[in-house]
Amino acid sequence: MKVLVVGKGGREHALCWRLSQSPSVRGLFCTAGNPGIAQLAKPVPIAPSDVAGVADFAAANRIDLTVVGPEEPLSAGIVDEFEKRGLRIFGPSRAAAQLESSKTFAKHVMRRAGVPNAEFESFTDIAAARRYVEAQRGPMVVKADGLALGKGVTVCRDRETALAAVGEAMESERFGAAGRRIVIEEFLTGEEVSFFALCDGERAAPLGLVQDHKTIFDDDRGPNTGGMGAYSPLPHYDAAFEKRVMREVVEPTIATMRAMEVPYRGVLYAGLMVSGDRINVLEFNVRFGDPECQALMMRYSGDLAEALLAAAEGRIQDAVVQLAPRSAVAVVLASGGYPNDYRKGLPISGLEKIEGKEPSPLKVRWALERIRIKVFQAGTALRDGHIITDGGRVMAVTAMADDLTTAVAGAYEAADLIEFEGKYLRRDIARRGLVALDAEQR
Ligand code: AMP
Ligand code: GLY
């Protein structure tokens, strides 16, 4: 089949890479894209947000399946547009994508489905929001209802900070229209993990748990980013836990959305807070995470295109959704200054040491240790034939090995071969998993 990937970052590079290895794929296209994607897919010069333009391209080029990476085109109704024209697409409709684009909608689905989540109230009236804050004790979380580029959530340690956050969202309109409605919820503690499943409207096939690392600095300090690294699976959670997430979170959500006549098709990404026996959903996203997708695609071992087509056609049971029983780790290389101001256009070197054909002692050792390395590019571009930085998160160096310890060592060994001015990375990706393994061995 001919497949079109919508998006242009690291997540889409990973999707293109895995799709390019699907036996059923004979043509691969991607909207715009970085030089890494361009090696795998024919570039289509249409912006991912240009819903009608993407649909025109898919129709004119007889694309059999379109796969959407980012949330914006989904919230803008790209799936509705494709379905109206009888074109196959993997992702949720605009109404179902509200699971991510409206926190109030997500909360109502969770309430109706009996999915555990933080106590909350939703407000469009600032006076009512203030009265609610005044009546609370202890920390709380103020969230802009709509899409705010990951910046709409403020964890508030007391009433004063919460009142300030309410004012910023509803009065100063810091998040624009996205903050006119807000959700105020109970502050939860525990360990954050992400769960992914492929859904076909009625059923779901698990892809399992991944842990992201959201802050810029080690030990979860500093401002939030899009994600600085991820690993999968998590050695400190067992198969029984994943079954529980399917039973208590994914299946009731799918059943409820079906009953609400907004069936959910696409990737369901549940951000969870786990504390002892308690699992709470912090948020839903309607797409793969970035860089979680890079770790998952490294392990994905079936025909991805067939699986996504089956999900889009409401017959996920026909697909083999399987991940290799190995560990994958993605370490993000960022440009100095990210997530604030950073420079672009800095030359990148060292990629050929990983991806070049020449043999080297390091590559031989990786092969002997069964370490597989893949660099997924995100904010990169070409200038006069040389690769340069073109974004805050530049690439995700991803390694897979039989165990987590070996995969982490491989990922950092490879990450250290790549150089550009101001290169920054976290040094503690997967540490929670490594600490858990260490404790187990003692
Ligand atoms: P969200 O976009 O809703 O996932 O929120 C972004 C981040 O804010 C999450 O990854 C958590 O670290 C934090 N957060 C969100 N909701 C809560 C909550 N109820 N309690 C504690 N932390 C939260
Ligand atoms: N890595 C977090 C996200 O994609 O939302």
Coordinates of all heavy atoms in Angstrom, one line a residue, residues 99-175:
L99 N -10.6 14.5 23.5 CA -10.0 13.9 24.7 C -8.7 14.6 25.0 O -8.3 14.6 26.2 CB -9.7 12.4 24.3 CG -9.9 11.3 25.3 CD1 -11.2 11.4 26.2 CD2 -9.9 10.0 24.6
E100 N -8.0 15.1 24.0 CA -6.8 15.9 24.3 C -7.1 17.4 24.2 O -6.5 18.2 25.0 CB -5.7 15.6 23.3 CG -4.5 16.4 23.4 CD -3.2 15.9 22.8 OE1 -3.2 14.8 22.2 OE2 -2.2 16.6 22.8
S101 N -8.0 17.8 23.3 CA -8.1 19.3 23.0 C -9.0 20.0 24.0 O -9.1 21.2 24.0 CB -8.6 19.5 21.6 OG -9.9 19.0 21.4
S102 N -9.8 19.2 24.8 CA -10.6 19.8 25.9 C -10.4 19.0 27.2 O -10.9 17.8 27.2 CB -12.0 19.9 25.5 OG -12.8 20.2 26.7
K103 N -9.8 19.6 28.2 CA -9.6 18.8 29.4 C -11.0 18.6 30.1 O -11.2 17.5 30.7 CB -8.7 19.6 30.4 CG -7.3 19.9 29.8 CD -6.2 19.6 30.7 CE -4.9 19.9 30.2 NZ -4.1 18.8 29.7
T104 N -11.9 19.5 29.9 CA -13.3 19.3 30.5 C -13.9 18.1 29.8 O -14.5 17.2 30.5 CB -14.1 20.6 30.3 OG1 -13.4 21.7 30.9 CG2 -15.5 20.4 30.9
F105 N -13.8 18.0 28.5 CA -14.4 16.8 27.8 C -13.8 15.5 28.3 O -14.5 14.6 28.7 CB -14.1 17.0 26.3 CG -14.6 15.8 25.5 CD1 -15.9 15.7 25.1 CD2 -13.7 14.7 25.2 CE1 -16.4 14.6 24.3 CE2 -14.2 13.6 24.4 CZ -15.5 13.6 24.0
A106 N -12.4 15.5 28.5 CA -11.7 14.3 28.9 C -12.2 14.0 30.3 O -12.4 12.8 30.6 CB -10.2 14.6 28.9
K107 N -12.3 15.0 31.2 CA -12.8 14.7 32.6 C -14.2 14.1 32.6 O -14.5 13.2 33.3 CB -12.8 16.0 33.3 CG -11.4 16.5 33.8 CD -10.9 15.5 34.8 CE -9.8 16.1 35.7 NZ -9.3 15.1 36.7
H108 N -15.1 14.6 31.7 CA -16.4 14.1 31.7 C -16.5 12.6 31.2 O -17.2 11.8 31.7 CB -17.4 15.0 30.9 CG -17.7 16.2 31.6 ND1 -18.3 16.2 32.9 CD2 -17.5 17.5 31.4 CE1 -18.4 17.4 33.3 NE2 -18.0 18.3 32.4
V109 N -15.6 12.3 30.2 CA -15.5 10.9 29.7 C -15.0 10.1 30.9 O -15.6 9.0 31.1 CB -14.6 10.8 28.5 CG1 -14.3 9.3 28.2 CG2 -15.2 11.5 27.3
M110 N -14.0 10.5 31.6 CA -13.5 9.7 32.7 C -14.5 9.5 33.8 O -14.6 8.4 34.3 CB -12.2 10.4 33.3 CG -11.0 10.3 32.4 SD -9.5 11.0 33.2 CE -9.1 12.4 32.3
R111 N -15.2 10.5 34.1 CA -16.2 10.4 35.1 C -17.3 9.4 34.7 O -17.6 8.5 35.5 CB -16.9 11.8 35.3 CG -17.4 12.0 36.7 CD -17.9 13.5 36.9 NE -17.1 14.2 37.8 CZ -17.3 15.5 38.1 NH1 -18.2 16.2 37.5 NH2 -16.5 16.1 39.0
R112 N -17.8 9.6 33.5 CA -18.8 8.7 33.0 C -18.3 7.2 32.9 O -19.1 6.3 33.2 CB -19.3 9.2 31.6 CG -20.4 8.4 31.1 CD -21.1 9.1 30.0 NE -22.0 8.2 29.2 CZ -22.7 8.5 28.2 NH1 -22.7 9.7 27.8 NH2 -23.4 7.6 27.6
A113 N -17.0 7.0 32.5 CA -16.5 5.7 32.4 C -16.0 5.1 33.7 O -15.6 3.9 33.7 CB -15.3 5.8 31.4
G114 N -16.0 5.9 34.7 CA -15.5 5.4 36.0 C -14.0 5.2 36.0 O -13.5 4.4 36.7
V115 N -13.3 6.0 35.2 CA -11.8 5.9 35.1 C -11.3 6.8 36.2 O -11.7 8.0 36.3 CB -11.3 6.4 33.8 CG1 -9.8 6.6 33.8 CG2 -11.7 5.4 32.7
P116 N -10.4 6.3 37.1 CA -10.0 7.1 38.2 C -9.1 8.3 37.8 O -8.3 8.2 36.9 CB -9.1 6.1 39.0 CG -8.8 5.0 38.1 CD -9.9 4.9 37.1
N117 N -9.5 9.4 38.3 CA -8.7 10.6 38.0 C -8.9 11.6 39.2 O -9.7 11.4 40.1 CB -9.3 11.3 36.7 CG -10.7 11.8 36.8 OD1 -10.9 12.9 37.0 ND2 -11.7 10.9 36.8
A118 N -8.1 12.7 39.1 CA -8.1 13.7 40.2 C -9.5 14.4 40.3 O -10.1 14.6 39.3 CB -7.0 14.7 40.0
E119 N -9.9 14.7 41.6 CA -11.1 15.5 41.8 C -11.0 16.8 41.1 O -9.9 17.4 41.0 CB -11.3 15.8 43.3 CG -11.7 14.6 44.1 CD -13.1 14.2 43.7 OE1 -13.9 15.0 43.4 OE2 -13.3 12.9 43.7
F120 N -12.1 17.3 40.4 CA -11.9 18.5 39.7 C -13.2 19.3 39.6 O -14.3 18.8 39.8 CB -11.5 18.2 38.2 CG -12.6 17.6 37.4 CD1 -13.3 18.5 36.5 CD2 -13.0 16.3 37.5 CE1 -14.4 18.0 35.7 CE2 -14.1 15.8 36.8 CZ -14.8 16.7 35.9
E121 N -13.1 20.5 39.2 CA -14.2 21.3 38.7 C -13.8 22.1 37.5 O -12.6 22.4 37.3 CB -14.7 22.3 39.8 CG -15.4 21.8 41.0 CD -16.8 21.2 40.7 OE1 -17.4 21.6 39.7 OE2 -17.2 20.3 41.4
S122 N -14.7 22.4 36.6 CA -14.4 23.1 35.4 C -15.1 24.5 35.4 O -16.3 24.6 35.9 CB -15.0 22.2 34.2 OG -14.9 22.9 33.0
F123 N -14.4 25.5 35.0 CA -15.0 26.9 35.1 C -14.9 27.7 33.8 O -13.8 27.7 33.2 CB -14.2 27.7 36.2 CG -14.3 27.0 37.6 CD1 -13.3 26.2 38.0 CD2 -15.4 27.3 38.4 CE1 -13.4 25.6 39.2 CE2 -15.5 26.7 39.6 CZ -14.5 25.8 40.0
T124 N -15.9 28.5 33.5 CA -15.8 29.5 32.5 C -16.0 30.9 33.2 O -15.7 31.9 32.6 CB -16.9 29.4 31.4 OG1 -18.1 29.2 32.1 CG2 -16.6 28.2 30.5
D125 N -16.4 30.9 34.5 CA -16.6 32.1 35.2 C -15.5 32.3 36.2 O -15.3 31.5 37.1 CB -18.0 32.0 35.9 CG -18.3 33.2 36.8 OD1 -17.8 34.3 36.4 OD2 -18.9 33.0 37.8
I126 N -14.8 33.5 36.1 CA -13.6 33.7 36.9 C -14.0 33.8 38.4 O -13.2 33.3 39.3 CB -12.7 34.8 36.4 CG1 -11.4 34.9 37.2 CG2 -13.5 36.2 36.5 CD1 -10.4 35.8 36.5
A127 N -15.1 34.4 38.7 CA -15.5 34.6 40.1 C -15.8 33.3 40.7 O -15.3 33.0 41.9 CB -16.7 35.5 40.2
A128 N -16.4 32.4 40.0 CA -16.7 31.0 40.5 C -15.4 30.3 40.7 O -15.2 29.6 41.7 CB -17.6 30.3 39.6
A129 N -14.4 30.4 39.8 CA -13.1 29.7 39.9 C -12.4 30.2 41.2 O -11.9 29.4 41.9 CB -12.3 30.0 38.7
R130 N -12.5 31.5 41.4 CA -11.8 32.1 42.6 C -12.4 31.6 43.9 O -11.7 31.3 44.8 CB -11.9 33.6 42.6 CG -10.9 34.2 41.5 CD -10.9 35.7 41.5 NE -9.8 36.2 40.7 CZ -9.9 37.2 39.8 NH1 -11.1 37.9 39.7 NH2 -8.9 37.6 39.1
R131 N -13.8 31.5 43.9 CA -14.5 31.0 45.1 C -14.0 29.6 45.4 O -13.8 29.2 46.5 CB -16.0 31.1 44.9 CG -16.6 32.5 45.2 CD -18.1 32.4 45.4 NE -18.8 31.8 44.3 CZ -19.2 32.5 43.2 NH1 -18.9 33.8 43.0 NH2 -19.8 31.9 42.2
Y132 N -13.9 28.8 44.3 CA -13.5 27.4 44.5 C -12.1 27.3 45.1 O -11.9 26.5 46.0 CB -13.6 26.7 43.1 CG -13.2 25.2 43.1 CD1 -14.2 24.3 43.5 CD2 -12.0 24.8 42.8 CE1 -13.9 22.9 43.5 CE2 -11.6 23.5 42.8 CZ -12.6 22.5 43.1 OH -12.3 21.2 43.2
V133 N -11.2 28.1 44.5 CA -9.8 28.1 45.1 C -9.8 28.4 46.5 O -9.2 27.8 47.4 CB -8.9 29.1 44.3 CG1 -7.6 29.2 45.0 CG2 -8.7 28.6 42.8
E134 N -10.6 29.5 46.9 CA -10.6 29.9 48.3 C -11.1 28.8 49.2 O -10.7 28.8 50.4 CB -11.6 31.1 48.5 CG -11.2 32.4 47.7 CD -10.0 33.1 48.4 OE1 -9.4 32.6 49.4 OE2 -9.5 34.2 47.8
A135 N -11.9 27.9 48.7 CA -12.5 26.9 49.6 C -11.5 25.6 49.7 O -11.8 24.7 50.4 CB -13.8 26.4 49.0
Q136 N -10.4 25.7 48.9 CA -9.5 24.5 48.9 C -8.4 24.6 50.0 O -8.1 25.7 50.4 CB -8.9 24.3 47.6 CG -9.8 24.1 46.4 CD -10.7 23.0 46.6 OE1 -10.3 21.9 46.8 NE2 -12.0 23.2 46.5
R137 N -7.9 23.5 50.4 CA -6.7 23.5 51.2 C -5.6 22.8 50.4 O -5.9 21.9 49.7 CB -6.9 22.6 52.4 CG -7.6 23.2 53.5 CD -8.2 21.9 54.3 NE -9.3 22.4 55.1 CZ -9.2 22.7 56.3 NH1 -8.1 22.7 57.0 NH2 -10.3 23.1 57.0
G138 N -4.3 23.1 50.7 CA -3.2 22.4 50.1 C -3.0 22.7 48.7 O -3.7 23.6 48.1
P139 N -2.1 22.0 48.0 CA -1.7 22.3 46.6 C -2.9 21.9 45.7 O -3.7 21.0 46.0 CB -0.5 21.4 46.4 CG -0.5 20.4 47.5 CD -1.3 20.9 48.6
M140 N -2.9 22.5 44.5 CA -3.9 22.2 43.5 C -3.3 22.4 42.1 O -2.2 23.1 42.0 CB -5.2 22.9 43.7 CG -5.2 24.4 43.6 SD -6.6 25.1 44.4 CE -5.8 25.8 45.9
V141 N -4.0 22.0 41.1 CA -3.4 22.1 39.7 C -4.4 22.9 38.9 O -5.6 22.5 38.8 CB -3.1 20.8 39.1 CG1 -2.4 20.9 37.8 CG2 -2.2 19.9 40.1
V142 N -4.0 24.0 38.2 CA -4.8 24.8 37.4 C -4.5 24.5 35.9 O -3.3 24.6 35.6 CB -4.7 26.3 37.7 CG1 -5.5 27.2 36.8 CG2 -5.1 26.6 39.2
K143 N -5.5 24.1 35.1 CA -5.2 23.7 33.7 C -6.0 24.5 32.8 O -7.3 24.6 32.9 CB -5.5 22.2 33.5 CG -4.7 21.3 34.4 CD -5.0 19.9 34.1 CE -4.0 19.0 34.9 NZ -4.1 17.6 34.6
A144 N -5.4 25.1 31.7 CA -6.2 25.7 30.6 C -6.9 24.5 30.0 O -6.4 23.4 29.8 CB -5.2 26.3 29.6
D145 N -8.2 24.7 29.6 CA -9.0 23.6 29.0 C -8.4 23.2 27.7 O -8.4 22.0 27.4 CB -10.4 24.1 28.8 CG -11.3 22.9 28.4 OD1 -11.6 22.1 29.2 OD2 -11.6 22.9 27.2
G146 N -8.0 24.1 26.8 CA -7.6 23.8 25.4 C -6.2 23.5 25.2 O -5.4 23.3 26.2
L147 N -5.8 23.3 24.0 CA -4.4 23.0 23.6 C -3.5 24.3 23.9 O -3.8 25.3 23.3 CB -4.3 22.6 22.1 CG -5.0 21.3 21.7 CD1 -4.8 21.1 20.2 CD2 -4.4 20.1 22.5
A148 N -2.5 24.1 24.7 CA -1.6 25.3 25.0 C -0.2 24.9 24.9 O 0.7 25.3 25.7 CB -2.0 25.8 26.4
L149 N 0.2 24.1 23.9 CA 1.5 23.7 23.6 C 2.2 23.1 24.9 O 3.4 23.4 25.1 CB 2.3 24.9 23.1 CG 1.8 25.5 21.8 CD1 2.5 26.8 21.4 CD2 2.0 24.5 20.6
G150 N 1.5 22.4 25.7 CA 2.1 21.8 26.8 C 2.4 22.8 28.0 O 3.0 22.4 29.0
K151 N 2.0 24.0 27.8 CA 2.3 25.0 28.8 C 1.1 25.4 29.7 O 1.2 26.3 30.6 CB 2.9 26.3 28.2 CG 4.1 26.0 27.4 CD 4.8 27.3 27.0 CE 6.2 27.1 26.5 NZ 6.3 26.4 25.2
G152 N 0.0 24.8 29.5 CA -1.3 25.3 30.1 C -1.5 24.8 31.5 O -2.5 25.1 32.1
V153 N -0.6 24.0 32.1 CA -0.8 23.4 33.4 C 0.1 24.1 34.4 O 1.3 24.2 34.2 CB -0.4 21.9 33.3 CG1 -0.5 21.2 34.7 CG2 -1.4 21.1 32.4
T154 N -0.5 24.5 35.5 CA 0.3 25.1 36.6 C 0.0 24.4 37.9 O -1.1 24.3 38.3 CB -0.1 26.6 36.8 OG1 -0.3 27.2 35.6 CG2 1.0 27.4 37.6
V155 N 1.1 23.8 38.4 CA 1.0 23.1 39.7 C 1.2 24.2 40.8 O 2.2 24.9 40.8 CB 2.0 22.0 39.9 CG1 2.0 21.4 41.2 CG2 1.8 20.9 38.8
C156 N 0.1 24.4 41.6 CA 0.2 25.5 42.6 C 0.3 24.9 44.0 O -0.5 24.1 44.4 CB -1.1 26.3 42.5 SG -1.5 26.8 40.7
R157 N 1.3 25.5 44.7 CA 1.5 24.9 46.1 C 0.5 25.4 47.1 O 0.2 24.8 48.1 CB 3.0 25.1 46.4 CG 3.4 26.3 47.2 CD 5.0 26.4 47.2 NE 5.4 27.2 46.1 CZ 5.3 28.5 46.1 NH1 4.7 29.1 47.2 NH2 5.7 29.3 45.1
D158 N -0.1 26.6 46.8 CA -1.1 27.1 47.8 C -2.2 28.0 47.0 O -2.1 28.1 45.8 CB -0.4 28.0 48.8 CG 0.5 29.0 48.2 OD1 0.2 29.5 47.0 OD2 1.6 29.3 48.7
R159 N -3.1 28.5 47.8 CA -4.2 29.3 47.2 C -3.7 30.5 46.5 O -4.3 30.8 45.4 CB -5.1 29.8 48.4 CG -6.3 28.8 48.6 CD -7.1 29.3 49.8 NE -6.9 28.4 50.9 CZ -7.2 28.6 52.1 NH1 -7.6 29.8 52.5 NH2 -7.0 27.7 53.0
E160 N -2.7 31.2 47.0 CA -2.2 32.4 46.3 C -1.7 32.1 44.9 O -2.1 32.8 44.0 CB -1.1 33.1 47.1 CG -1.5 33.8 48.4 CD -2.2 32.9 49.4 OE1 -1.6 31.8 49.7 OE2 -3.3 33.3 49.9
T161 N -0.9 31.1 44.8 CA -0.4 30.7 43.5 C -1.5 30.3 42.6 O -1.5 30.6 41.4 CB 0.6 29.6 43.5 OG1 0.7 29.1 44.9 CG2 2.0 30.0 43.0
A162 N -2.5 29.6 43.1 CA -3.7 29.1 42.3 C -4.5 30.3 41.8 O -4.9 30.4 40.7 CB -4.5 28.2 43.1
L163 N -4.7 31.3 42.7 CA -5.4 32.5 42.3 C -4.7 33.2 41.2 O -5.3 33.7 40.2 CB -5.6 33.5 43.5 CG -6.7 33.0 44.5 CD1 -6.7 33.9 45.8 CD2 -8.1 32.9 43.9
A164 N -3.3 33.3 41.3 CA -2.6 34.0 40.3 C -2.7 33.2 38.9 O -2.9 33.8 37.9 CB -1.1 34.0 40.7
A165 N -2.7 31.9 39.0 CA -2.8 31.0 37.8 C -4.1 31.2 37.1 O -4.3 31.3 35.9 CB -2.5 29.6 38.1
V166 N -5.2 31.3 38.0 CA -6.5 31.5 37.4 C -6.6 32.9 36.7 O -7.1 33.0 35.6 CB -7.6 31.5 38.6 CG1 -8.9 32.0 38.1 CG2 -7.7 30.1 39.2
G167 N -6.0 33.9 37.3 CA -6.0 35.2 36.7 C -5.2 35.2 35.4 O -5.7 35.8 34.4
E168 N -4.1 34.5 35.4 CA -3.3 34.5 34.1 C -4.0 33.9 33.0 O -4.0 34.3 31.9 CB -2.0 33.7 34.4 CG -1.0 34.4 35.3 CD 0.4 34.3 34.7 OE1 0.6 33.6 33.7 OE2 1.2 35.1 35.2
A169 N -4.7 32.8 33.3 CA -5.4 32.1 32.2 C -6.7 32.8 31.8 O -6.9 33.1 30.6 CB -5.8 30.7 32.7
M170 N -7.5 33.3 32.8 CA -8.8 33.8 32.5 C -8.9 35.3 32.3 O -9.7 35.8 31.5 CB -9.9 33.4 33.5 CG -9.9 31.8 33.7 SD -11.2 31.3 34.8 CE -12.6 31.2 33.8
E171 N -8.0 36.0 32.9 CA -8.0 37.5 32.8 C -7.0 38.0 31.8 O -7.3 38.7 30.9 CB -7.8 38.1 34.2 CG -8.5 39.4 34.5 CD -8.5 39.6 36.0 OE1 -7.4 39.6 36.6 OE2 -9.6 39.8 36.5
S172 N -5.7 37.6 32.0 CA -4.6 38.0 31.1 C -4.6 37.2 29.8 O -3.9 37.6 28.9 CB -3.3 37.9 31.8 OG -3.3 38.2 33.1
E173 N -5.4 36.2 29.8 CA -5.5 35.3 28.6 C -4.2 34.9 28.1 O -3.9 35.0 26.9 CB -6.4 36.0 27.5 CG -7.8 36.3 28.0 CD -8.8 36.5 26.9 OE1 -8.4 36.6 25.7 OE2 -10.0 36.4 27.2
R174 N -3.3 34.4 29.0 CA -2.0 34.0 28.6 C -2.0 32.8 27.6 O -1.1 32.7 26.8 CB -1.3 33.5 29.9 CG 0.1 33.2 29.7 CD 0.9 33.0 31.0 NE 2.0 32.2 30.7 CZ 2.5 31.3 31.6 NH1 1.9 31.1 32.8 NH2 3.5 30.5 31.3
F175 N -3.1 32.0 27.6 CA -3.1 30.9 26.7 C -4.2 31.1 25.6 O -4.6 30.2 25.0 CB -3.4 29.6 27.5 CG -2.6 29.4 28.7 CD1 -3.1 29.5 29.9 CD2 -1.2 29.1 28.5 CE1 -2.3 29.3 31.1 CE2 -0.4 29.0 29.6 CZ -0.9 29.1 30.9

